[in-house]
Amino acid sequence: MDYDRKAKKKKVLLMGKSGSGKTSMRSIIFSNYVAKDARRLGATIDVEHSHVKFLGNLTLNLWDCGGQDAFMENYLASQRDHVFSNVGVLIYVFDIESREFDRDMVTYSAVVRALRENSPSAAVFCLIHKMDLVQAEYRQKLFDERTNLVKERSEGFKITSFATSIWDQTLYKAWASIIYTLIPNLHVLEGYLRELAAAVEAEEIILFERTTFLVVTSVTSEIGALNPAHDRFERLSTIIKTFKQSLSRHTGLPRSSPQFAEFQVKTSRFNFFIARLTSNTYVLVVTPPGEAAFNTARINVLTARNDFANLDITGEVYPRGTGPAGAPHPASDEAAAAVAAARAAEDEDEHGSPS
Amino acid sequence: MASSYLTIPARRHGGGKSFRGHGGGYHNAASLTLERYLQDLPIAEVPTSPLRPQFHTGRLPNSKLSDGKPRLLLMGQRRSGKSSISSVVFHKMPPTETLFLESTARIQKDSMHSFMDFQVWDFPGQLDFFDPAFDVDNIFGEIGALIWVIDAQDDYLDAINRLNTTILHLQQTYPSINVEVFIHKVDGLSEDYKADTFRDVIQRIQDELSDAGYENAPVSFYQTSIYDHSIFEAFSKVIQKLIPQLPTLESLLDSLCNNCRIEKAFLFDVLSKIYIAADTTPSDISSYEISSDYIDVIVDVSEIYGWDRPSKAAENEVDGEDQIENPDAESVITLQNDSYLYLREINKYLALICLMREDSRGKKGLIDYNVGVFQDALAQVFTR
C-alpha cells in the first residue's frame, strides 16, 4: 500500500515565459481564485512547489517555475538534474501576445532537450494561453500555426496542445485532459461508472474532483451522446465553480470548503443531481424526467458510495453529517455493515424523496 | 381583484385633469388628455374606489402611445451610465463591455416583456426636455418612474441642479411621479467615501427642494454599480413600486414563509433577475445575490441539458410508467452549513426562491404543497 502511494505521486512542471500566466491558471484551478483575482498575483520567484491532493492517493507535485530569463538559465544549467528528473508531465505555457515568439521557441527547445535527457517518458502539454486577447475569428488559425511551430521543435515528444484563456471554460478543458492522463486505475473506475449508469438508466454520469471541479471521467448513454452541447463538461466545471464562490460569499465558509452537499434540479425535460460520492469526488447524474427514475438513481448512487470508496483511487467514503466541522455521528452507526451504512447515509440525507 | 385595480387610473386621470386646470399654461395638453380620456371612456370602467391610488397600474385606459406599458425613464447627465445600465439590466451585456457603448444620440426605447410589460426609455444626457418644442406631455404623461442617474465619481453639482429643476417642474403637472435617484458608479469609491457621497447627494437634493417649498418630495435614493448586484436590486425596488398587486404578493409570501419556516423568499422575474416581490422580513443584499446567482446556475444547466430529446427517447419509456406530474422546474441545494436553497418555477416568467434553515429539513412535502397553493393564488393575481 505504501509503495502504491509513492508510485502515484506525479511531478508536474509548469513552465513558460515570465508573465505568460502560469501562476494565474494554477491559482484558478487549484486555489479557487476567480479570474479577476489573478491580477493581484506577483511574479513567481524561482520555483513554487505545491502539493495538490487529487483524488485520494494521487498527489500532484506541482512545480510552478518562475519564467524570468535568469531563473530559466538556472534550471537549465546548475539545477538541470534536480528540476528535470522524474517528471511526469511538463506543461509549457505560451503567451499568444508574446512579441518575441522566436526567442520563446529557443527556450522551449532547450527545456524539451533537458527533459529528453532526464525523463524521456514524460508527457508534454502546450497551452497557447491568453486566447481571449485574439479576435474570435482568428483564434483557430493562429492556434494551428503556433501548434505546428511548437511541434517541429519538440525533440520527438508527442505533444498535445490547447488554446486556453482564464476568462472562459477552455482552461478547464485543457486541465481536465491533462489530469485524465495521470489517473491510475482509470479503466476500473470507468467500469464501475458504466455499470452504475446502466443500473439507473442515466443519460449521463460525470465524476468531478472535489476542490477543482475538474472532470475526472464520464459515461454517456446513447441518448445522452446526442446532446448538442459538446463543451458541456468544461462549461459545467466553470458554472459550478463560479457558483461555489458565490455560495462562499453567502455562507461565509472558506472558498476551499465543499460549500454544498447536494444539488438537485427537476424539470420537464431532464432531472439532474450532483452529490458527494467520496471524500474527493462529486458525481453528477442526469436522468430522464420522472420522479421515480430520479429517486431510484439517487438511492443507487448513494448506495454505490462504498464501492467507489474501496477503489484505491477515489479515497475514503465521505463522512456523514454535513456540518462544516464534519460533525461525526456516533461510532455505533459506523460499525454497521456496508450496505446498512449506505442506507443510513441515505436516511440522514433524506430531503429530496417524498415520504 | 385585478379588475378593481384596473379601474383606478381612470379616476386618477380625472384628478389630474382638474389639477392641470389650476396649473395654467397647460390647458391645451389638459384638454387633449381629457379628450382621449373621454374617447376611451367606454373601455375604462367606472371608478369604484374613492381611495387615492397608491400605485401606477399596468394598463392605462387612455394610453394609445405606449400600449399601456408603465414607462421607466432613464435620465441624467451625459456619460453618467444610463445606457450601460439599460444594456446590463435589459440586454444581459457583460458589464466590462459597456465601455465600448457609443453615446446615445436619440431616445432609445426598450421593452421588458414579462409578467407585466415595461418600457424603458433611455434619454440622451444632453437633451433639454423643457424646450418648448418638446412634447412634454408625451414623455411624462404615462410615466411609471423617473430614474435619474448621477455619476458618483464625477462632479455631481450640475446633475443635482438639473434634477431639482426637473423635479420642481414635474411636480406641478405630474405630482405622482416616482423619482428614483441612482447614485451610480459607486464601485470605484472606497467604503467611507461612498457613504459620504451618498449622504451629501441626498442632503443637497432635499435641501434645495425644501428651499423651493417642496417638502417631503417623493424621491428615493440608491447606490448602484453595474459590476455587482446593486443595480438589479435597485431596479427591483423601482419596479416593485409600479406593481399594483405588491401588497397582495407580499402577504402571500409572508404567509408562505410563516407556514414553512422559510427564512427568506423572493419572487423573481427569471429573465431580468429582478425580484418583483419578497417577504417582508428584513434581509441583506447577500440573500438577493445568492438567489440571483442560483437562477444563473439553473438557467446555465438547463441550457446544457434541456435540449430537445428525439422522440425515440420517449418511446423507450414503458407506457405510463413515468408520468411527469409537475411540468414546472424545481431545484433544491443542500448547503454545507445545513441550510437549503429551494427554487420553483411559478409560471413562464416567474420563479420562487426560498432560503431555508435546517429546521425545514424533511418538510419537503409540506413545502411543495404550500408552494402549490401559492402558485394557484398567484395565478389569480396575475391573469397572464
Side-chain angles (χ1 to χ4, degrees), chain A residues 46-72:
Chain A
D46 212 14
V47 182
E48 267 178 27
H49 298 271
S50 47
H51 296 265
V52 184
K53 217 173 160 220
F54 196 93
L55 289 186
N57 52 7
L58 169 67
T59 305
L60 301 183
N61 194 357
L62 207 60
W63 292 44
D64 182 2
C65 306
Q68 290 167 40
D69 293 344
F71 300 138
M72 282 315 255

Side-chain angles (χ1 to χ4, degrees), chain A residues 34 242 244-253 255 259, chain B residues 229 286 289 293:
Chain A
V34 281
T242 320
K244 270 177 74 182
Q245 259 135 19
S246 356
L247 281 176
S248 115
R249 274 199 300 276
H250 175 68
T251 57
L253 297 173
R255 279 180 178 181
Q259 301 300 347
Chain B
H229 294 78
S286 104
E289 282 173 2
D293 290 342

Side-chain angles (χ1 to χ4, degrees), chain B residues 15-33:
Chain B
K17 176 203 65 178
S18 61
F19 195 93
R20 266 172 226 162
H22 297 297
Y26 285 92
H27 285 290
N28 251 347
S31 52
L32 255 180
T33 315

Side-chain angles (χ1 to χ4, degrees), chain A residues 36 203-204 206 222-224 226-229 232-233 235-236 239 243 246-247 249-251 253 257-270 272 276 282 284 286-293 318 322-324 348 350-352, chain B residues 227 229 286-287 289-290 293-298 300-310 312-313 316-317 321-341 355-357 360-364 367:
Chain A
K36 65 174 187 243
E203 266 182 23
E204 187 152 73
I206 308 176
E222 252 176 68
I223 294 166
L226 301 173
N227 191 338
R232 58 185 182 277
F233 298 152
R235 258 163 77 184
L236 284 166
I239 292 166
F243 186 55
S246 356
L247 281 176
R249 274 199 300 276
H250 175 68
T251 57
L253 297 173
S257 79
Q259 301 300 347
F260 68 90
E262 191 172 354
F263 180 1
Q264 311 178 347
V265 182
K266 293 178 203 161
T267 72
S268 54
R269 290 202 163 164
F270 68 95
F272 153 111
R276 293 287 292 273
Y282 275 96
L284 179 154
V286 182
T287 60
E291 194 84 11
Y318 163 54
T322 45
E348 279 296 327
E350 186 71 56
H351 181 73
Chain B
Y227 293 97
H229 294 78
S286 104
S287 314
E289 282 173 2
I290 195 68
D293 290 342
Y294 187 15
I295 290 188
D296 273 343
V297 174
I298 302 282
D300 288 345
V301 167
S302 314
E303 248 170 46
I304 294 178
Y305 286 111
W307 51 287
D308 258 324
R309 267 72 172 171
K312 205 177 124 225
N316 279 351
E317 312 256 304
E321 189 201 44
D322 268 331
Q323 286 289 326
I324 300 155
E325 286 165 21
N326 189 357
D328 299 321
E330 86 173 49
S331 163
V332 181
I333 298 186
T334 312
L335 294 184
Q336 203 62 20
N337 59 359
D338 273 332
S339 53
Y340 299 89
L341 294 174
L355 279 66
M356 290 178 264
R357 285 276 161 217
S360 31
R361 162 180 283 191
K363 293 208 190 113
K364 180 81 178 5
I367 292 166

